[in-house]
Amino acid sequence: MAGGLKLLKFLNAVQAMRSIDPDMTLSQLATLLTIAKDEGLSVSEIQHRVGLTRTTGSRIVRSLTNWEGDGKPGFDFIEMRADPMDYRRRIAYLNEKGRKVVKDAIKHL
């Protein structure tokens, strides 16, 4: 039964996230939660931790910013900043909207 309860809590958290946008994928959710756990990661570090290819990881990270591209707005949960130690490197942080969404999802766990 304990496993079933954990599964139910996880499902509730996923549903809470998907209530924001029903098209949100599990890869986007995993990426968002990875950034929430360890803010300040580079795109390549995020790709490695989540297990995404370079192309897919870049696309998913971009979808979590305010502008996905191709004229489509993103979820606007994160912001990318230049790394103060290496301005060629971009690092990810939750913005206020992202913090609220993650906090609301964690309530279900």
Side-chain angles (χ1 to χ4, degrees):
M1 277 304 200
L5 183 58
K6 286 181 182 181
L7 186 58
L8 181 61
K9 286 183 177 184
F10 175 74
L11 182 59
N12 287 339
V14 169
Q15 288 174 336
M17 295 298 288
R18 295 213 43 184
S19 70
I20 295 159
D21 189 314
D23 295 327
M24 178 175 254
T25 66
L26 287 177
S27 293
Q28 288 169 321
L29 175 58
T31 301
L32 179 63
L33 295 176
T34 297
I35 294 167
K37 181 180 178 288
D38 292 311
E39 291 188 76
L41 296 173
S42 69
V43 174
S44 61
E45 290 169 324
I46 294 165
Q47 292 164 349
H48 177 74
R49 290 187 186 194
V50 180
L52 302 169
T53 65
R54 197 172 195 179
T55 304
T56 301
S58 295
R59 182 178 43 79
I60 288 174
V61 168
R62 190 174 57 247
S63 77
L64 297 174
T65 67
N66 63 342
W67 194 250
E68 186 171 338
D70 296 329
K72 183 178 177 187
F75 288 106
D76 193 22
F77 295 148
I78 67 169
E79 59 184 56
M80 299 302 292
R81 300 180 196 160
D83 184 336
M85 304 303 264
D86 182 352
Y87 288 101
R88 297 169 296 177
R89 187 172 173 247
R90 308 279 294 158
I91 51 181
Y93 292 90
L94 292 178
N95 60 22
E96 287 305 312
K97 181 179 176 183
R99 286 186 208 294
K100 182 183 180 317
V101 165
V102 169
K103 183 179 176 182
D104 290 347
I106 289 173
K107 287 179 190 176
H108 295 280
L109 296 176

